Amino acid sequence: MEYDQNHYEQLLYAVEENVATITINRPERRNTVTYQVLDELIDAVTRAGADDDVRAVVVTGGSGRFFSAGTDLSSGDGYDAAAADFKPLRGGTRDVGGELALLIYDLPKPVIAAVNGTAVGIGITMILPMDVRIAADNARFGLPFTRRGIIPESCASFFLPRIVGISRAVEWAVTGRIFQAAEALDAGLVHELLPAADVLPRAREIAIEIAHNTSAVSVALTRQLMWKLLDADHPIEANRLESQALLALGRMADVPEGVAAFREKRAPAFTLRPSRDLPGFYPWWATPSFEE
């Protein structure tokens, strides 16, 4: 895999077989997160989302035992509680991890977390809006925010209860305890446990399956229907949106190609691209501004 060596200082970024792999590359700091890391992650995810050659995104940690040990508490570019002007928010107003979470939430392509080692703090919260989470079987997890006098960030109070249920989410968050990979699997925080060396290859295998066998526009619509309808008041809302999507897709080139590929027992050659071919009603949701 050939990485872009010039664009980022704290990340590695590569596209291969229509999959973008984003690696937090601070192994000497246990892949901890600073505002620079967050800014680079926001840039990299935005870049992957806008690139029609990228069909899926994989996020992982650099070499070592850690996916991410959370915020870098040793520098002033993080939650430096020793500083007299301590502010857990950039500029004193907004959690930047939440910006990243919302960006992933609205992305028109799936994101897979390859949790190659221990994930603590933002190492967990950043993966919550991702669609599939594969983890190392020796990884440990923790949400130690209350033990630092703060609260979970990156929109975790929205995503975590929806993934693992309210009782488990509250227990993990208020105790701040460390738990093992088996508990994360049992709760549904992660989907699969593997030896650490197999985590990234497995994540890429899933991403490549998406890239080679599905319609990019169909995937974008399916992903957003699933996420945006989590809080729908009635299934009629799904019926309305699915009807609009089916009507629009039925007029597009990927449907006859998908049917022909099935009948001819061959791989499909889909041509629709999210940058130009999403139906006119997309996006159907309105994102509130942060100031509201």
Side-chain angles (χ1 to χ4, degrees), residues 7-280:
H7 201 79
Y8 303 106
E9 294 181 2
Q10 307 291 304
L11 306 180
L12 297 174
Y13 184 95
V15 177
E16 185 177 59
E17 295 190 78
N18 302 107
V19 175
T21 301
I22 301 170
T23 305
I24 304 170
N25 189 39
R26 305 183 80 223
E28 75 288 350
R29 304 297 305 168
R30 301 184 299 170
N31 296 322
T32 50
V33 172
T34 65
Y35 286 133
Q36 182 180 356
V37 173
L38 283 170
D39 284 340
E40 291 190 5
L41 282 169
I42 288 169
D43 184 88
V45 172
T46 301
R47 177 181 178 184
D51 185 351
D52 280 337
D53 288 334
V54 171
R55 292 291 323 284
V57 182
V58 173
V59 179
T60 193
S63 60
R65 298 182 296 108
F66 290 87
F67 170 75
S68 174
T71 299
D72 187 348
L73 294 174
S74 67
S75 76
D77 189 28
Y79 295 170
D80 185 359
D85 60 347
F86 166 61
K87 293 179 180 178
L89 312 176
R90 180 167 60 184
T93 57
R94 187 176 187 184
D95 168 38
V96 188
E99 294 180 50
L100 175 63
L102 291 168
L103 173 64
I104 295 170
Y105 178 63
D106 284 339
L107 209 69
K109 52 197 68 174
V111 184
I112 301 170
V115 186
N116 55 298
T118 291
V120 177
I122 196 171
I124 289 183
T125 58
M126 77 166 70
I127 69 174
L128 298 179
M130 300 181 190
D131 304 290
V132 180
R133 293 171 292 278
I134 311 296
D137 54 15
N138 62 351
R140 299 191 302 161
F141 298 84
L143 296 147
F145 301 96
T146 57
R147 298 189 181 205
R148 309 289 182 265
I150 55 174
I151 62 165
E153 29 68 309
S154 301
C155 303
S157 54
F158 176 90
F159 290 108
L160 187 61
R162 286 166 171 78
I163 295 169
V164 304
I166 185 64
S167 295
R168 183 99 66 157
V170 171
E171 190 267 322
W172 283 351
V174 299
T175 65
R177 67 180 177 86
I178 299 295
F179 53 94
Q180 304 298 320
E183 185 174 348
L185 179 68
D186 178 69
L189 176 64
V190 299
H191 299 77
E192 190 174 348
L193 297 180
L194 294 167
D198 297 335
V199 169
L200 181 56
R202 174 59 178 150
R204 284 185 48 78
E205 178 184 23
I206 295 170
I208 290 168
E209 181 177 6
I210 295 167
H212 289 185
N213 296 295
T214 66
S215 160
V217 168
S218 295
V219 166
L221 287 168
T222 298
R223 182 180 193 268
Q224 289 305 328
L225 283 165
M226 295 287 183
W227 277 112
K228 297 303 189 288
L229 287 168
L230 276 175
D231 294 317
D233 293 329
H234 191 281
I236 193 66
E237 296 183 44
N239 186 216
R240 291 182 185 127
L241 285 167
E242 289 167 2
S243 297
Q244 289 184 72
L246 289 167
L247 182 62
L249 291 172
R251 297 167 176 164
M252 296 181 177
D254 280 1
V255 171
E257 170 58 20
V259 173
F262 173 75
R263 289 175 174 169
E264 296 165 15
K265 296 181 173 56
R266 59 171 174 82
F270 293 121
T271 57
L272 298 183
R273 296 292 178 262
S275 65
R276 65 170 191 259
D277 296 318
L278 283 164

